[in-house]
């Protein structure tokens, strides 16, 4: 259903509307209707953007902090690996006892990491929220 409206608009806008409507298939009512529909849609999206802006900004800051922490962890791990590889000589292939001790230590390490992650306990820093004691 269409509703008739009486509007006052500036002369320049009226002339531009007349020029657009004079083209083949032009219709002033359709042009004004489409323009208002687009304007109202953009206005609504700006309100939604304003609502989410604060939350998105907070998430961006948290993401930057996480990225920084990951960079620190990766750099620490790479320095530790470099030190370990430079400080210790490789085990001879024939030394099965030393290799068995190494495997056992590695399995204990992996188990301990799994336990720490499962319980939320951290070696550095406070325990994570929502996890076990």
């Amino acid at each position: 259903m269409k509703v008739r409206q009486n509007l006052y608009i500036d002369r320049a806008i009226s002339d531009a509307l007349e020029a657009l409507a004079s083209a083949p298939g032009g219709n002033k009512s359709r042009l004004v209707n489409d323009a208002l529909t687009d304007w109202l849609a953009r206005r609504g999206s700006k309100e939604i953007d304003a609502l989410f802006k604060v939350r998105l900004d907070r998430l961006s800051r948290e993401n930057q902090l996480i990225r920084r922490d990951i960079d620190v962890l990766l750099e620490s791990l790479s320095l530790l690996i470099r030190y370990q590889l430079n400080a210790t000589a490789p085990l001879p292939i024939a030394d099965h006892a030393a290799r068995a001790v190494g495997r056992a230590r590695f399995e204990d390490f992996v188990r301990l990491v799994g336990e720490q992650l499962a319980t939320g306990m951290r070696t550095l820093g406070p325990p994570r929220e929502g996890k076990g004691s």
Side-chain angles (χ1 to χ4, degrees), residues 57-130:
D57 288 346
R58 182 180 52 82
L59 290 172
S60 293
R61 284 190 304 275
E62 288 177 1
N63 193 27
Q64 288 171 348
L65 292 173
I66 290 169
R67 182 70 229 172
R68 185 204 60 193
D69 289 350
I70 289 172
D71 288 343
V72 168
L73 287 171
L74 288 174
E75 186 63 24
S76 300
L77 182 61
S78 64
L79 288 173
L80 176 66
I81 290 170
R82 180 188 297 163
Y83 171 78
Q84 190 66 25
L85 291 174
N86 286 330
T88 58
L91 293 174
I93 293 176
D95 193 349
H96 298 292
R99 288 189 175 277
V101 169
R103 271 193 300 281
R105 287 181 181 167
F106 180 73
E107 288 170 6
D108 288 342
F109 170 76
V110 171
R111 181 188 48 75
L112 182 60
V113 169
E115 288 173 3
Q116 295 285 90
L117 291 174
T119 61
M121 303 273 298
R122 296 178 63 172
T123 303
L124 301 174
R128 295 194 183 218
E129 296 177 16

Side-chain angles (χ1 to χ4, degrees), residues 22-44:
S22 67
N27 179 311
K28 286 183 191 179
S29 295
R30 184 180 48 80
L31 289 170
V32 171
N33 190 62
D34 290 348
L36 280 172
T37 301
D38 288 345
W39 182 81
L40 290 171
R42 283 192 309 274
R43 183 173 167 214

Side-chain angles (χ1 to χ4, degrees), residues 1-7 29:
M1 176 178 171
K2 298 193 181 218
V3 178
R4 181 176 172 86
Q5 298 287 326
N6 293 322
L7 304 169
S29 295

